[in-house]
Amino acid sequence: MEDTYRHKGMRRKLVNEIRKKGILDEEILGAIYRVPRHLFLDSGFLSYAYEDKPFPIGSGQTISQPYTVAFQTELLNAKSGMRILEIGTGSGYQACVLAALGVEVYSIERQKKLYEKACDFLPQLGFDIHLFYGDGYLGLPEQAPFDSILITAAAPEVTSCLFDQLKTGGVLVSPVGVGDIQTMFRYTKEKSGKISRKRFGNFRFVPLLKDKADD
Ligand code: SAH
């Protein structure tokens, strides 16, 4: 579990690349710099760890592209002290970036292997994240309400039970769609209780699956 000057240098380059692509929030760029992404991949894949690309992590899933992680984090208005729910823990990379910002992170994963790996690995990295095994479609009603909610898999639609778990003024960020390419939306829960939404371009995510049974 080494994080050397070489790794830090590679991360600095990655941060510069993401900045050039339009992420200007220095807090978020600092969080990307602080999370050692190479430790989330098998050691043979070091050269891929600091490319701005998604990468397979096993169980048919991927670790998100760093730019996408930074972009979703920006849309969430994530700030230190907030309580944020993430749906789709996967490798835990996005959850760690939020935790590095000082967010209290709750994250749900439906694949037991990935959940168990995250339970073992994230504390070793020094990140204290509340991890849950279950179906993200249902959210975490017992822990609600959240300041914001992030879905890191493509949802065919956002279910109302997730909006119920959002504070007034809170936002939910999710790629929405059933095809290979989805549209990123940010939903805001207005004071009246009404949900408004705004679109933010096209992205490619693995699908959000119903039920927690492993495939
Ligand atoms: N945030 C991750 C990337 C997630 S990939 C990272 O930073 O690495 C999407 C993840 O969503 C996968 O791990 C997949 O197993 C999980 N997933 C799919 N459907 C789900 C559901 N209904 N509830 C919870 N997690 C789900």
Side-chain angles (χ1 to χ4, degrees):
M1 294 264 289
E2 269 193 328
D3 188 28
T4 64
Y5 281 113
R6 178 166 171 239
H7 297 126
K8 291 190 173 104
M10 291 168 92
R11 251 186 343 265
R12 204 172 287 284
K13 275 196 191 144
L14 174 68
V15 164
N16 286 336
E17 199 178 327
I18 295 173
R19 191 185 279 117
K20 277 198 200 120
K21 289 181 181 171
I23 305 294
L24 300 175
D25 185 325
E26 288 301 324
E27 297 280 330
I28 294 175
L29 293 170
I32 296 276
Y33 179 69
R34 286 195 294 281
V35 180
R37 190 170 189 261
H38 64 284
L39 298 176
F40 291 76
L41 310 186
D42 288 338
S43 55
F45 298 121
L46 172 62
S47 60
Y48 296 95
Y50 293 116
E51 285 187 14
D52 188 24
K53 290 188 180 151
F55 198 81
I57 52 167
S59 308
Q61 302 303 325
T62 54
I63 176 170
S64 300
Q65 178 178 350
Y67 169 77
T68 306
V69 169
F71 188 73
Q72 286 198 299
T73 304
E74 203 166 63
L75 290 184
L76 277 174
N77 304 323
K79 299 268 178 300
S80 182
M82 281 183 165
R83 291 173 81 243
I84 295 184
L85 170 65
E86 180 197 37
I87 297 171
T89 313
S91 69
Y93 177 67
Q94 166 80 71
C96 288
V97 169
L98 290 172
L101 275 171
V103 167
E104 187 175 357
V105 187
Y106 293 76
S107 187
I108 319 179
E109 172 57 53
R110 76 182 275 283
Q111 292 206 50
K112 193 127 199 205
K113 253 195 196 160
L114 293 173
Y115 162 75
E116 284 171 350
K117 197 168 168 193
C119 287
D120 181 51
F121 176 57
L122 303 189
Q124 286 183 46
L125 280 185
F127 289 105
D128 181 14
I129 290 163
H130 308 284
L131 296 166
F132 297 81
Y133 170 55
D135 182 4
Y137 269 99
L138 306 174
L140 286 177
E142 328 73 70
Q143 317 288 340
F146 297 98
D147 293 296
S148 11
I149 299 178
L150 169 63
I151 305 182
T152 66
E157 63 191 333
V158 180
T159 48
S160 63
C161 81
L162 291 180
F163 291 126
D164 293 345
Q165 295 175 35
L166 200 55
K167 282 187 192 164
T168 301
V171 299
L172 181 152
V173 172
S174 179
V176 178
V178 286
D180 278 356
I181 294 178
Q182 308 91 31
T183 305
M184 188 70 77
F185 280 101
R186 178 168 65 192
Y187 300 83
T188 304
K189 188 169 185 173
E190 311 285 357
K191 275 207 185 95
S192 62
K194 191 178 147 260
I195 305 291
S196 62
R197 71 175 199 179
K198 199 172 164 197
R199 62 174 67 221
F200 289 90
N202 293 334
F203 287 82
R204 195 185 282 267
F205 281 80
V206 297
L208 189 68
L209 302 167
K210 290 231 187 236
D211 306 323
K212 69 176 179 187
D214 288 77
D215 300 314

